[in-house]
Amino acid sequence: MIIARTLSDLRDVVNAWRGEDFSHAVVPTMGALHEGHLMLVAAAREKTDRVIATIFVNPKQFAANEDLSRYPRDEEGDLAKLEAAGCDLAYLPAPDEIYPPGFVTSISLGGPAKAGLEDKFRPHFFDGVATVVAKLFIHTAADVAIFGEKDYQQLLVVTQMARDLDLGVEVVGIPTIREEDGLAKSSRNRYLSKHERHQATAIIRALEQAAEKIRGGGDPQTATKAAARSLTTLGFEVDYVSARNAETLAVPVSADEPLRLLAAARLGKTRLIDNIPV
Ligand code: AMP
């Protein structure tokens, strides 16, 4: 596996691949890789001839009160996992490579980025994500980009941006990889105490119960409110549990729209998110 830390080294490899008519995919990550990330690499391998994984803990998507400095980092472990997963190139740019001194430009987002979900609780988050993802798309010139449904709103935001700005990349979403008990795999799960880790499965259970009620003809609002109440009773601080149109994240207005249930809640100091289709 090739390791590139600068745009110029990355471009040399990508140009060589282009010369051989190889297509390539990019899998953007913030490192601390788990099986969920590696499934994205596996999906990328099926779609294109060559795979780039990027590891960049993006300062622009963390607010001052968030966990940038304590975000887990394990470069050596990550590189070993990527190589074993069949990744061809790992791109690990330094912050200056992405945001050189004097960098001031950002992308103005709408649609799914303003759905009142993550954007409401992390107001700078998607501006940061869109900026770095746009740069990574441009740096890698990838034909395909693979993202997880785990971050469902992010997947829709990035898809919309790539389409609106003609970034020339096909964005593909991959279903969430879970622990045996249903908890969505996340780099942040390691922050959970033993007791919290046990409690954490309540999120997927609450979502599944709500989905069941809706499939049985129940009102989505009522079902998600009940899910939020049950999580609060269990000690979660709930940011939202919401039923949305699966394609736009708008609040549903008719009974035959495709729905997605999305939740975010804090357990102690750890913020967990999850979502499922109805
Ligand atoms: P992160 O490094 O956590 O920002 O995530 C990088 C990519 O991995 C994003 O596209 C995430 O949606 C995806 N991802 C994270 N956790 C999972 C998971 N459990 N299953 C599938 N994809 C995931």
Side-chain angles (χ1 to χ4, degrees):
M1 184 175 72
I2 302 162
I3 297 171
R5 295 182 189 273
T6 64
L7 174 57
S8 130
D9 284 354
L10 171 68
R11 287 228 161 116
D12 286 347
V13 178
V14 167
N15 288 338
W17 287 347
R18 283 264 178 261
E20 294 189 69
D21 242 4
F22 288 148
S23 60
H24 66 284
V26 62
V27 179
T29 82
M30 298 209 298
L33 302 180
H34 52 66
E35 212 183 306
H37 300 115
L38 302 178
M39 289 303 289
L40 305 187
V41 173
R45 273 172 59 92
E46 291 200 353
K47 291 209 156 273
T48 56
D49 301 315
R50 293 289 180 268
V51 176
I52 300 174
T54 69
I55 300 178
F56 182 67
V57 182
N58 177 30
K60 277 206 195 298
Q61 70 191 62
F62 289 81
N65 62 336
E66 292 179 340
D67 55 356
L68 173 63
S69 64
R70 65 174 206 133
Y71 197 84
R73 288 162 208 251
D74 175 18
E75 186 178 305
E76 209 180 309
D78 287 346
L79 292 174
K81 287 177 194 166
L82 288 175
E83 180 144 36
C87 178
D88 298 287
L89 186 154
Y91 182 42
L92 292 81
D96 267 10
E97 198 73 14
I98 301 289
Y99 305 118
F103 184 94
V104 292
T105 300
S106 67
I107 293 168
S108 171
L109 301 165
K114 302 288 183 222
L117 299 167
E118 287 301 289
D119 51 302
K120 181 166 164 200
F121 295 91
R122 307 182 70 188
H124 305 292
F125 179 68
F126 287 122
D127 289 350
V129 167
T131 307
V132 79
V133 168
K135 290 211 69 158
L136 291 172
F137 285 179
I138 292 163
H139 282 199
T140 60
D143 304 291
V144 173
I146 313 280
F147 285 82
E149 287 184 353
K150 157 84 182 2
D151 302 276
Y152 194 77
Q153 188 177 7
Q154 169 175 282
L155 169 63
L156 295 193
V157 168
V158 169
T159 304
Q160 179 88 40
M161 174 182 75
R163 186 191 316 141
D164 288 351
L165 298 182
D166 302 319
L167 294 179
V169 56
E170 178 199 355
V171 177
V172 174
I174 298 298
T176 302
I177 304 301
R178 299 179 179 279
E179 303 289 352
E180 264 178 29
D181 61 7
L183 178 67
K185 288 197 186 244
S186 164
S187 312
R188 290 186 166 97
N189 290 350
R190 67 187 71 190
Y191 297 143
L192 298 167
S193 69
K194 207 169 168 206
H195 177 64
E196 288 168 346
R197 171 64 189 80
H198 185 69
Q199 294 273 87
T201 56
I203 295 192
I204 181 63
R205 278 187 278 116
L207 286 174
E208 275 167 358
Q209 276 167 15
E212 189 89 9
K213 285 184 197 163
I214 297 166
R215 282 195 289 266
D219 171 53
Q221 279 266 20
T222 313
T224 49
K225 269 195 187 146
R229 261 199 316 276
S230 79
L231 289 174
T232 305
T233 308
L234 288 168
F236 286 82
E237 275 186 64
V238 176
D239 282 349
Y240 58 83
V241 182
S242 193
R244 297 300 182 95
N245 180 296
E247 282 149 25
T248 63
L249 294 185
V251 176
V253 288
S254 84
D256 52 7
E257 291 179 52
L259 293 184
R260 195 92 188 177
L261 304 186
L262 305 100
R266 269 160 295 135
L267 196 51
K269 285 195 167 129
T270 310
R271 189 169 183 278
L272 300 170
I273 62 171
D274 204 346
N275 68 87
I276 56 168
V278 172

